C-alpha cells in the first residue's frame, strides 16, 4: 500500500461528499415536480411525450397501480430487446452481417438489461451490431436507471406524506428523471469521453496495419454515448468484452476517476434527497455515513490484500503486489478501488479482472453484493434497499426501548416489518439456492474453469451478481450455456422485481399513516448510535448469505494459497 493509493481513495470520498448536496438538491426538484432551468428547453418535449402517450402527469397513483404500470413498462421493454437481439441479422446497422442471438442468450440479455444488471455472457464487439447496442441495450441503460430513481421517489413519498392514498405517478417520475437528469449529464459526459479518446462513430470497425506489418481489424462503434450512461446509471454493460479495462472505454487515469465518481454520484445525492423529503436532512447524512463506513471497510481490505500480493508467488521468490489481471496504467490502488465501487453500487463495470484478485481481495466484491447491494447501491435501488434495512433496524431499536418503533415520524408496524423481511429474504434464498443447484448438476459444474474452492467462487459470484443486479463476473465462468443463461435470467428478474413490489407496498402503507411527533421515548435516528445500529443490522442480515458461502469459496481458497497451492 502506498500514500498515493490512499490519497486517491481519500480524494474520491471528499469529492463525492462535496457533490452529495448539489446533486440531492437537483433530485429533490425532480422529486417534487418543480420547474428547473432545463424546463425552458425540455419542457415542451416532456409535455409532448405525455400527450402522445395519453398520460396525465398530475394523476397520482396508489402503490398497486404504480407497481402494475412499472411492471408492464419493463415487460414491454424486455420483449422489445428480445426481438431486436433475435432478429439482429434482419435489422439495419449491421455491416458485418452478425447473426441473430440464440433464444436462451437473447432471453438472458433482455432480462439482464431490463433489470439494470447488464450481465454479459458474450463479447459485445463481435456479437452485437450497432443497432442492437443502441436500440436493444443503451435504451435500457437510461430507462432501467430512471425506473430505479422513480421507485426511490415513491418510497420517499411514503415516508413524507401523511394519510395519503397515492405515492406519485410512475410515468411522470420516470420521464422527468430521464429528461432533466440522465440525458443532460450524459451529453456532457460523452463529450468529455470523446475528448479523452473514446470512440463515437457508427462505423463498426476500421482496418489497421501494425508496426510488424500485420493487418488488424479494430472494433469501433458509438462507445462514448453508451459509456456515459453505463456509469452514471450504474448499468455496467461494456461495449467491449474487456469493459472499462479496454482503452477505448477508459483510456486515462482521469477518465478512470471520473467513471468511479459518476457511479456513486446519484446514489450519494439520493441520500440527501431523502433527508430533505422527510424534512430532516440529518436523516440523509446518517444514511450516507453508514454507507460510507461499509464502503471504506471493504475498500481497505481489498486494497490491503491486492497490495500484499499472492503468497504462492512470494514463496517462489516473486515479491510485490498482485498485478495479475490489472491494467498497468491504473495500478493496484485504482483497480482495488474500482472493484469496490462497482460492486458497492451494483454497477458491474470492471477495470480489472476480479477472477485474478487474491482470494480475500475477490471476497470484498462478493460481500458488497451479498449485503444486499445497499452500500450506495444502484441508482434508486440502493437507497430503497437501504431503507428496508432501516425499517428492520428501527424495529429492533423499538424492541430495546419497549415502544412501537418509529422512523422519520411513521410508526413501523407488523405489516411493514413483514414486507421488509420478504424483500430482503429474496437475496439469500436465490443466491444460495441457485449456487447449490449449479454446484451439483452436470450443466452447472461444466461452467467454472477452475476447480476446488475457486471454481465454487466462480459459481457463487455469478448468482450473487445476478440476484444483486450487479452484472460483474469472475471471468473464469463459462456462463453462455443454456443452463446458466436460463438460471441467471430468472435470478436477475426475481432479484429486481421481487424486492420492488414489497417495497412499493411498504410505501403505500406508510403514506396512509399519520405522522407521529418524536417524544422522549423515541429512538434517535440521526446520531452515531443509529449509524452503528444500521451497519450492524446490515452485516448481521448480510451474513445470512456470505457467512455460509464464503467459507466454501474465498476463505478456503485463501487457506489453499497460504499452503502454497494454486486452486
Amino acid at each position: 500500500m502506498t500514500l498515493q493509493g490512499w490519497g486517491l481513495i481519500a480524494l474520491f470520498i471528499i469529492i463525492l461528499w462535496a457533490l452529495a448536496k448539489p446533486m440531492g438538491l437537483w433530485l429533490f426538484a425532480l422529486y417534487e415536480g418543480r420547474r428547473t432551468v432545463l424546463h425552458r428547453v425540455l419542457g415542451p418535449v416532456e409535455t409532448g411525450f405525455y400527450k402522445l402517450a395519453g398520460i396525465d402527469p398530475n394523476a397520482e397513483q396508489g402503490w398497486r397501480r404504480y407497481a402494475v404500470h412499472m411492471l408492464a413498462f419493463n415487460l414491454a421493454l424486455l420483449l422489445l430487446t428480445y426481438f431486436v437481439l433475435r432478429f439482429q441479422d434482419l435489422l439495419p446497422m449491421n455491416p458485418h452481417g452478425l447473426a441473430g442471438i440464440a433464444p436462451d442468450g437473447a432471453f438472458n440479455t433482455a432480462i439482464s438489461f431490463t433489470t439494470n444488471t447488464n450481465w454479459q455472457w458474450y463479447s459485445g464487439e463481435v456479437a452485437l451490431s450497432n443497432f442492437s447496442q443502441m436500440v436493444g441495450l443503451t435504451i435500457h441503460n437510461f430507462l432501467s436507471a430512471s425506473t430505479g430513481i422513480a421507485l426511490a421517489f415513491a418510497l420517499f413519498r411514503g415516508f413524507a406524506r401523511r394519510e395519503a392514498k397515492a405515492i406519485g405517478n410512475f410515468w411522470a417520475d420516470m420521464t422527468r428523471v430521464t429528461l432533466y437528469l440522465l440525458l443532460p449529464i450524459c451529453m456532457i459526459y460523452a463529450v468529455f469521453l470523446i475528448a479523452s479518446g473514446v470512440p463515437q462513430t457508427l462505423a463498426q470497425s476500421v482496418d489497421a496495419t501494425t508496426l510488424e506489418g500485420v493487418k488488424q481489424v479494430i472494433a469501433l462503434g458509438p462507445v462514448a454515448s453508451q459509456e456515459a450512461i453505463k456509469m452514471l446509471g450504474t448499468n455496467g454493460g461494456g461495449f467491449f468484452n474487456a469493459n472499462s479495462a479496454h482503452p477505448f472505454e477508459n483510456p486515462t487515469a482521469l477518465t478512470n476517476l471520473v467513471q468511479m465518481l459518476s457511479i456513486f454520484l446519484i446514489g450519494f445525492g439520493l441520500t440527501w434527497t431523502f433527508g430533505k423529503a422527510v424534512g430532516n436532512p440529518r436523516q440523509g447524512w446518517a444514511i450516507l455515513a453508514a454507507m460510507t463506513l461499509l464502503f471504506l471497510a471493504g475498500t481497505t481490505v481489498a486494497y490491503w490484500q491486492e497490495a500484499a500480493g499472492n503468497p504462492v508467488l512470494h514463496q517462489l521468490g516473486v515479491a510485490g503486489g498482485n498485478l495479475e489481471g490489472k491494467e498497468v496504467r491504473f495500478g493496484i490502488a485504482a483497480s482495488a478501488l474500482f472493484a469496490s465501487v462497482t460492486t458497492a453500487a451494483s454497477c458491474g463495470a470492471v477495470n480489472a479482472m476480479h477472477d485474478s484478485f487474491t482470494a480475500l481481495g475477490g471476497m470484498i466484491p462478493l460481500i458488497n453484493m451479498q449485503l444486499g447491494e445497499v452500500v450506495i447501491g444502484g441508482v434508486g435501488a440502493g437507497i430503497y434497499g437501504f431503507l428496508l434495512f432501516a425499517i428492520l433496524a428501527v424495529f429492533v431499536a423499538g424492541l430495546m426501548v419497549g415502544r412501537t418503533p418509529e422512523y422519520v415520524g411513521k410508526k413501523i408496524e407488523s405489516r411493514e416489518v413483514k414486507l421488509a423481511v420478504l424483500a430482503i429474504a429474496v437475496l439469500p434464498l436465490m443466491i444460495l439456492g441457485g449456487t447449490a443447484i449449479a454446484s451439483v448438476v452436470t450443466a452447472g459444474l461444466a461452467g467454472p474453469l477452475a476447480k476446488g474452492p475457486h471454481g465454487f467462487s466462480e459459481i457463487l459470484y455469478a448468482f450473487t451478481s445476478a440476484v444483486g443486479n450487479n452484472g460483474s463476473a469472475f471471468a473464469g465462468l463459462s456462463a453462455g450455456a443454456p443452463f446458466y443463461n436460463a438460471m441467471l435470467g430468472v435470478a436477475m428478474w426475481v432479484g429486481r422485481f421481487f424486492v420492488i413490489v414489497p417495497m412499493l407496498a411498504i410505501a403505500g402503507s406508510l403514506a396512509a399513516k399519520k405522522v407521529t411527533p418524536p417524544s422522549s421515548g423515541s429512538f434517535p435516528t440521526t446520531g452515531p448510535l443509529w449509524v452503528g445500529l444500521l451497519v450492524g443490522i446490515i452485516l448481521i442480515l448480510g451474513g445470512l448469505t456470505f457467512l455460509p458461502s464464503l467459507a466454501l469459496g474465498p476463505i478456503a481458497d485463501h487457506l489453499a494459497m497460504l499452503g502454497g497451492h494454486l486452486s
Side-chain angles (χ1 to χ4, degrees), residues 414-432:
S414 62
R415 174 177 170 80
E416 291 79 36
V417 172
K418 290 175 182 176
L419 288 168
V421 169
L422 179 64
I424 292 172
V426 166
L427 201 74
L429 290 174
M430 290 300 297
I431 290 175
L432 298 179

Side-chain angles (χ1 to χ4, degrees), residues 108 112-113 117-122 462 465 471-473 477 479 488 492:
N108 180 281
S112 175
F113 280 79
T117 308
N118 298 53
W119 170 272
Q120 294 176 288
W121 54 268
Y122 55 87
S465 178
S472 63
L477 183 73
L488 295 176
M492 287 184 279

